[in-house]
Amino acid sequence: MRVRVLLVDDEELLRLAFGLILRAEPDMEPVGEAADGAAAVDLARRLQPDVVLMDVRMPGTDGIAATRRLLREVPGTRVLVLTTFDLDAYAFDALRAGASGFLLKNSRPQELLGAIRDVARGDAVVSPRVTRRLLDRFAHRLPAAGDDGGGGGGGGDAERLRVLTAREREVLLGAARGLTNTELAAALGLAEPTVKKYLGRVMAKLGLRDRVQAVIFAYECGLVGPG
């Protein structure tokens, strides 16, 4: 099956370049283009793409607001955001809005294609190390533990942790601290496939989309703090 991709960027030349890269792949199909977030949401509703390649910095409706609306209105679609810098407040906000990862605009074509395939399979495209750097950089913007206002974190999220077993909490904590699955397996004395199963259970129990959302959840509920 082909991965159906919607391209969203206010730079026409960049959309053209991405489209050419995708059309050269037998398992990729660019199904549409949009130059702003509002148009992206409208197109996504009509076209039901598998993946939206979303610029975060656009005039009008930016990629953050578009990601939030799109995932609410087209829940089967996944968003991969584009950014110029790997420590970008816009990229971080897009992850909190539900994006499955982010990619630098100057990434090589094979990195772009691999990221789209990963997201289409349901994986997250932000390495644990980069996730930790993002969270450390912008942790001051997260609600404090016990704060029920604003971002949806705090006491309510802390209560949700009770559905996890002790081992599942350990795995979530390790992931939030930036450990890879290999490092988690070594630290906990588990096989790597077992760690992946535990992470899958954590996400299923908490209703989270992917590893990125699990890490952000761990910070928001106070399981792990910044620094």
Side-chain angles (χ1 to χ4, degrees):
M1 293 180 62
R2 285 186 167 186
V3 179
R4 305 174 70 253
V5 183
L6 175 62
L7 303 172
V8 184
D9 198 291
D10 60 334
E11 295 184 33
E12 184 177 0
L13 190 59
L14 200 55
R15 297 198 309 270
L16 176 61
F18 285 148
L20 290 173
I21 292 170
L22 297 181
R23 289 185 182 92
E25 299 298 308
D27 63 336
M28 298 277 176
E29 181 184 0
V31 295
E33 298 182 10
D36 63 76
V41 175
D42 291 340
L43 274 177
R45 279 199 301 260
R46 287 197 290 111
L47 301 174
Q48 301 285 313
D50 300 305
V51 176
V52 176
L53 200 59
M54 177 84 74
D55 187 15
V56 289
R57 295 175 180 249
M58 295 180 289
T61 303
D62 64 24
I64 301 163
T67 294
R68 190 175 293 112
R69 279 185 54 199
L70 194 153
L71 294 177
R72 184 174 62 246
E73 299 178 23
V74 195
T77 294
R78 289 183 172 266
V79 175
L80 178 62
V81 299
L82 294 169
T83 182
T84 304
F85 307 104
D86 65 354
L87 285 179
D88 185 346
Y90 280 73
F92 177 76
D93 286 341
L95 295 179
R96 293 191 71 194
S100 293
F102 77 91
L103 193 70
L104 294 178
K105 286 190 175 184
N106 63 356
S107 297
R108 296 189 300 270
Q110 289 308 311
E111 291 175 328
L112 170 69
L113 295 169
I116 292 171
R117 292 183 180 108
D118 286 344
V119 167
R121 285 196 300 265
D123 294 333
V125 183
V126 180
S127 74
R129 297 300 185 196
V130 172
T131 301
R132 179 56 192 264
R133 280 170 35 225
L134 275 167
L135 289 169
D136 284 348
R137 174 66 177 82
F138 298 108
H140 66 281
R141 301 173 60 179
L142 293 171
D147 178 7
D148 290 322
D157 283 344
E159 286 294 315
R160 289 169 64 193
L161 283 173
R162 294 187 179 186
V163 303
L164 302 182
T165 66
R167 179 63 87 183
E168 289 165 352
R169 285 172 67 110
E170 284 182 324
V171 170
L172 176 58
L173 179 59
R177 287 175 170 163
L179 297 181
T180 65
N181 287 353
T182 301
E183 290 168 338
L184 268 170
L188 299 177
L190 300 172
E192 191 169 342
T194 304
V195 169
K196 294 175 78 171
K197 286 182 182 179
Y198 275 120
L199 277 171
R201 290 177 192 169
V202 167
M203 290 184 280
K205 285 184 176 182
L206 298 177
L208 303 170
R209 294 170 62 89
D210 49 43
R211 188 189 192 104
V212 172
Q213 295 297 301
V215 172
I216 292 173
F217 173 89
Y219 272 72
E220 289 186 323
C221 74
L223 180 64
V224 61

